[in-house]
Amino acid sequence: MNIKELIKGMTVEEKIGQLNQVAYIPATIDGIEDRIREGKVGSIILAQTAFAGNDSPCSVDYEKVNRLQRIAVEETRSHIPILFGRDVIHGHKTVFPIPLAMAASFDTELIKKSYECIAKEAYNDGIKWTFAPMLDMSRDPRWGRIIESAGEDPYLAQNVARAVISGFQGDDYSKRGRLCACAKHYVGYGASEGGRDYNRTEISEYTLRNFYLRAFKSAVEADVGTVMSAFNEISGQPVTSSRYLLTDVLKEEFGFKGFVVSDWAAVKQLIDQGVAENEKECAQMSLKAGVDMDMVDDIYNKYLLKLLSEGKITEEIIDEALYRVLYIKEKAGLFDDPYTAPVNVDRAFNAKTAKEMAEESMVLLKNENNILPLSVSDKIYIDGEMKDDTRSILGSWTLDGIAEETVTVFEGINKYITPVLNEKDADIIILAIGESHTVTGEAHSLADIDMKREHISLAKKYKAEGKKVVGVLNFGRPVAMEDGEKYFDAIIYAWHSGTQTGNAVADILFGKVNPCGHLPVTLPRKTGQIPLYYNFTKGSRTVNEYYDHADNRFINNYDDCKGSPLYPFGYGLSYTEFEYSNPRILSEKNGEYVVGITVKNTGKFDGKALVQCYICDEVASSMRPIRELKSFEKIFLKKGEEKEVLFKLGEKELGFYNMDNEFVVEEGLFTVYMGGDAYCENKVSVRYIKN
Ligand code: NOJ
């Protein structure tokens, strides 16, 4: 397909039509066929409502999609196919763990494999474009959308970004069973002030480049087809009207070749944000900034022609946006294969992969006196509001998930044992507690993430009765459990883990699976500590007590709470023990270092260790983080087995964006820490000297 030639033959109206995305909400849709015939529909978002995240299901099917496609292909003058998109976030019919949980697996191969399964199921319903991955790093677990993210760390987010994009797109997303991905929400949305959704953000260029932009840069390098512009403003400038962010940085500096779609009605929102007086101005500002497709506002459709006739925009700028849209349609294979023809989906394989993903994601936080794994001869009583839950446990943004397929926590455990009917007869109480999916996701932030009184009371009651209490915590986001944690003998942070939650929980509880998830986000003691994250910059006297446990009022932030988290970033126990020793530098040449550490499984079970490598740039022209994750490897060790894990560190890892926005590697001392979480103590020093 010669896109330039195609564009030459199009009328301006047809061109503008391609920049318009229409919502196909079955309950309200009206006259979409005619609009397609008129050439006014470049894309359709298959949504439920404007707040799709938690709404009740309303599925799509490929025949309906094909019917609409036929109108575009056969009845319009340009014959250009429609790109159909839907929010396929962490599963389609088979629901995988929420993205935050998948990040906790630190297993990028498995994440990729999961998204391959997800893509096939979604493709079969006529979906060719998804609005994922969400790459908004967030330091605020009050924000409902943290569950859609990879957590607080940019390096982890970069790796997850590559894995998800490659899972969805493969190396050629024109193929059947593949979806075009969308990196969202560009950029800074995760920094919404106070964790309140859609709120303003205040992010310096230094922080933006060193933290928030990094996953998006990786997404572009991974050839993501599309990028969604975020709702938020950054320091006074809405992203949707920021030519600097969308064109100068994303398209020119990063080299993004695909198209930018606005978020839902984000173009019109420029009026609410007070930078545009009317819809026409919104259209002008967004297009000029670099938003190529208008999601559902119908504003490009209504005003671009007028703006052109008034000389406020040029046809070149329309053509540039159009080129990008058609380029992606071409890459998605639509010109050759516009219709969906179902591919073979092995749902049993997908369920198996979803289970594997859930197992790898769950984090063992506490295991006093090795109460876990349980034995089938234990007398167990199961309590808690999540034990029979089939829907919340699927998580937010589960438009097509089938709750009837969910294996509940109770059902999973029931495959191993018959729980006692009366708590009096039990020695061990499994408490499956958590939060509803309806308090997570879009437009669902919480002011208080402290563990709820009723959960604490329940655990306390059983503890007082002399029972051993095992918590299975099905939360979407971190819960601050300082007041409740002491009443649990063991805690598995089991997230909203999707269709296979119960099977994964049971296999972990009874030791068939050794837990190996690690926290992608800090668990604070109390809500009031937020923001609390591991990679903050070095401080002066008021050092954040995240790392420093000394009882010193000049470094302790609060009089009523310790400054450290309850569980740090990267933390996660196993049923076995891992010993880290002999940190060393194996080679140093041309600014490239190979460092290594020995890891030994000294416990009683085979298991997986997540070996993490952090650096600290000790002296630099700008203040650098106390620690930054730069590499990780999940390894399997049989009991008694020992392995050496090596990490390569070069300019990419040692460098940062300086105050002039240049990526630099500065000479000097770096400390490299290696071990099992952000607190790891084993370290070596390297001195970087330029060649
Ligand atoms: C708004 C959300 O912010 C975005 O993530 C989603 O993809 C769109 N709505 C479409 O549903």
Side-chain angles (χ1 to χ4, degrees):
M1 167 66 57
N2 185 331
I3 298 171
K4 289 209 166 114
E5 282 305 309
L6 176 66
I7 292 177
K8 276 191 200 151
M10 291 170 74
T11 66
V12 184
E13 288 86 345
E14 283 165 348
K15 292 178 179 179
I16 293 169
Q18 287 300 312
L19 311 185
N20 190 32
Q21 183 181 64
V22 174
Y24 183 85
I25 299 174
T28 59
I29 195 69
D30 198 12
I32 196 165
E33 280 95 348
D34 288 342
R35 274 191 269 166
I36 297 173
R37 274 183 200 102
E38 288 161 17
K40 294 202 163 138
V41 180
S43 170
I44 290 180
I45 174 168
L46 301 158
Q48 325 271 119
T49 67
F51 297 98
N54 288 329
D55 281 337
S56 52
C58 172
S59 56
V60 291
D61 70 80
Y62 80 95
E63 282 175 358
K64 201 183 294 172
V65 169
N66 279 347
R67 187 165 51 76
L68 297 177
Q69 187 71 294
R70 186 151 288 117
I71 301 175
V73 173
E74 293 179 4
E75 298 182 42
T76 65
R77 205 192 64 94
S78 65
H79 306 294
I80 298 174
I82 293 168
L83 181 56
F84 289 90
R86 184 163 171 91
D87 288 289
V88 182
I89 308 298
H90 57 102
H92 190 62
K93 289 183 170 139
T94 309
V95 183
F96 287 66
I98 53 167
L100 185 62
M102 290 208 231
S105 74
F106 284 76
D107 186 336
T108 49
E109 271 310 305
L110 186 57
I111 294 175
K112 179 176 162 194
K113 185 170 150 195
S114 301
Y115 278 95
E116 283 167 359
C117 301
I118 296 169
K120 277 192 193 155
E121 286 191 8
Y123 174 87
N124 263 3
D125 279 352
I127 299 157
K128 193 62 200 173
W129 178 25
T130 176
F131 305 108
M134 194 268 230
L135 301 179
D136 295 306
M137 201 196 86
S138 183
R139 296 166 167 174
D140 198 328
R142 292 170 297 182
W143 188 50
R145 302 201 78 169
I146 195 168
I147 69 128
E148 295 172 55
S149 79
E152 73 190 35
D153 182 67
Y155 177 75
L156 177 57
Q158 286 179 293
N159 283 279
V160 170
R162 284 190 279 264
V164 177
I165 292 163
S166 140
F168 273 133
Q169 297 190 165
D171 46 21
D172 175 1
Y173 52 92
S174 73
K175 290 196 179 133
R176 291 183 173 171
R178 293 290 184 182
L179 306 188
C180 171
C182 180
K184 73 185 188 186
H185 309 83
Y186 182 85
V187 54
Y189 187 23
S192 284
E193 245 179 34
R196 296 187 286 278
D197 208 2
Y198 314 123
N199 203 6
R200 66 182 305 275
T201 78
E202 187 63 57
I203 311 175
S204 69
E205 182 86 19
Y206 181 66
T207 303
L208 194 65
R209 286 184 174 268
N210 285 300
F211 291 94
Y212 292 92
L213 276 170
R214 279 176 44 191
F216 287 97
K217 188 163 188 288
S218 298
V220 172
E221 286 158 7
D223 198 28
V224 70
T226 65
V227 169
M228 187 186 292
S229 73
F231 286 129
N232 55 282
E233 57 150 305
I234 298 182
S235 309
Q237 173 74 155
V239 178
T240 306
S241 62
S242 171
R243 186 166 170 85
Y244 172 66
L245 287 171
L246 295 173
T247 298
D248 300 354
V249 176
L250 179 69
K251 294 180 179 173
E252 283 167 14
E253 189 183 321
F254 293 176
F256 174 60
K257 299 269 179 304
F259 72 85
V260 174
V261 62
S262 73
D263 202 343
W264 187 285
V267 174
K268 193 169 169 183
Q269 190 191 269
L270 294 176
I271 299 174
D272 306 319
Q273 288 173 312
V275 295
E277 200 171 320
N278 50 44
E279 293 187 348
K280 196 165 82 175
E281 260 182 37
C282 294
Q284 181 182 341
M285 290 173 90
S286 302
L287 187 74
K288 283 189 160 172
V291 175
D292 305 303
M293 183 180 280
D294 170 11
M295 184 187 278
V296 311
D297 271 333
D298 211 32
I299 284 182
Y300 279 12
N301 196 31
K302 281 195 211 145
Y303 298 101
L304 290 190
L305 196 59
K306 201 159 192 334
L307 284 164
L308 186 64
S309 67
E310 289 170 2
K312 294 202 169 120
I313 56 168
T314 59
E315 192 158 344
E316 285 73 53
I317 197 163
I318 294 179
D319 284 355
E320 144 126 49
L322 174 66
Y323 183 90
R324 287 174 176 272
V325 170
L326 297 181
Y327 170 70
I328 293 302
K329 287 191 174 186
E330 160 86 346
K331 280 192 76 156
L334 291 179
F335 290 104
D336 293 329
D337 190 8
Y339 304 106
T340 302
V343 290
N344 191 20
V345 173
D346 184 348
R347 298 261 349 264
F349 176 79
N350 291 1
K352 191 168 154 268
T353 310
K355 174 168 176 279
E356 213 183 316
M357 190 75 244
E359 290 164 3
E360 295 282 318
S361 308
M362 293 182 186
V363 186
L364 179 66
L365 292 179
K366 183 173 180 181
N367 193 15
E368 216 113 282
N369 301 319
N370 293 328
I371 177 182
L372 297 181
L374 301 173
S375 147
V376 286
S377 57
D378 286 333
K379 288 197 195 119
I380 296 168
Y381 181 72
I382 310 175
D383 201 359
E385 79 282 7
M386 299 299 276
K387 70 177 195 294
D388 297 316
D389 178 87
T390 56
R391 175 59 191 92
S392 281
I393 229 151
L394 296 182
S396 180
W397 286 109
T398 309
L399 308 194
D400 299 273
I402 304 171
E404 294 73 36
E405 290 184 0
T406 303
V407 180
T408 66
V409 172
F410 188 92
E411 286 163 350
I413 296 172
N414 208 214
K415 290 182 186 168
Y416 279 87
I417 52 146
T418 307
V420 298
L421 294 175
N422 189 324
E423 64 187 80
K424 298 276 176 296
D425 302 332
D427 301 321
I428 294 168
I429 310 290
I430 294 174
L431 272 191
I433 55 173
E435 65 188 339
S436 161
H437 67 291
T438 59
V439 297
T440 72
E442 188 179 352
H444 292 289
S445 294
L446 293 177
D448 185 0
I449 62 156
D450 284 358
M451 184 174 252
K452 288 201 195 82
R453 283 283 127 213
E454 57 263 36
H455 289 152
I456 298 175
S457 310
L458 199 59
K460 193 174 169 184
K461 173 184 97 103
Y462 286 124
K463 194 81 194 134
E465 289 169 9
K467 313 287 183 197
K468 299 275 182 226
V469 184
V470 176
V472 173
L473 272 47
N474 295 112
F475 288 88
R477 56 155 72 73
V479 59
M481 53 180 135
E482 163 118 308
D483 296 338
E485 189 239 14
K486 54 181 170 287
Y487 302 116
F488 293 91
D489 294 279
I491 299 176
I492 296 172
Y493 216 80
W495 312 101
H496 287 158
S497 279
T499 312
Q500 287 291 319
T501 302
N503 284 335
V505 164
D507 281 358
I508 287 178
L509 283 174
F510 291 95
K512 183 165 175 206
V513 168
N514 192 348
C516 60
H518 285 251
L519 294 174
V521 66
T522 297
L523 292 197
R525 295 171 186 278
K526 294 207 177 268
T527 305
Q529 289 178 295
I530 298 167
L532 186 68
Y533 51 94
Y534 87 95
N535 50 7
F536 55 91
T537 45
K538 291 182 169 189
S540 54
R541 278 212 304 196
T542 51
V543 171
N544 189 317
E545 208 202 350
Y546 196 106
Y547 293 98
D548 197 333
H549 302 268
D551 186 17
N552 175 343
R553 74 189 174 88
F554 291 107
I555 58 167
N556 191 348
N557 299 131
Y558 302 108
D559 284 349
D560 61 348
C561 178
K562 284 187 182 166
S564 60
L566 197 58
Y567 297 107
F569 176 86
Y571 181 84
L573 299 174
S574 164
Y575 292 153
T576 195
E577 315 261 309
F578 297 108
E579 191 183 272
Y580 292 87
S581 63
N582 193 17
R584 57 205 175 278
I585 303 169
L586 284 105
S587 71
E588 263 179 278
K589 62 171 182 249
N590 306 330
E592 294 262 318
Y593 303 85
V594 178
V595 295
I597 185 136
T598 304
V599 191
K600 183 168 186 187
N601 181 346
T602 55
K604 297 196 182 88
F605 298 84
D606 300 346
K608 286 181 187 165
L610 178 70
V611 192
Q612 302 160 45
C613 174
Y614 297 84
I615 65 157
C616 174
D617 185 346
E618 295 292 354
V619 182
S621 58
S622 311
M623 287 162 63
R624 303 296 306 136
I626 286 199
R627 291 190 185 193
E628 294 175 272
L629 183 69
K630 288 297 169 185
S631 199
F632 57 82
E633 202 181 323
K634 210 172 192 181
I635 55 164
F636 175 77
L637 290 174
K638 289 196 151 307
K639 62 180 165 178
E641 197 186 353
E642 176 176 295
K643 264 186 198 160
E644 173 176 74
V645 177
L646 304 183
F647 297 108
K648 268 197 200 142
L649 298 170
E651 299 197 343
K652 201 156 59 75
E653 286 75 26
L654 304 180
F656 67 100
Y657 286 90
N658 68 11
M659 290 296 172
D660 298 323
N661 301 337
E662 297 155 345
F663 189 79
V664 290
V665 196
E666 296 180 346
E667 291 197 335
L669 197 66
F670 291 80
T671 306
V672 183
Y673 298 89
M674 286 168 276
D677 60 42
Y679 281 167
C680 53
E681 296 287 330
N682 280 295
K683 59 183 181 190
V684 293
S685 292
V686 297
R687 186 169 282 283
Y688 176 77
I689 299 166
K690 289 205 164 84
N691 285 313

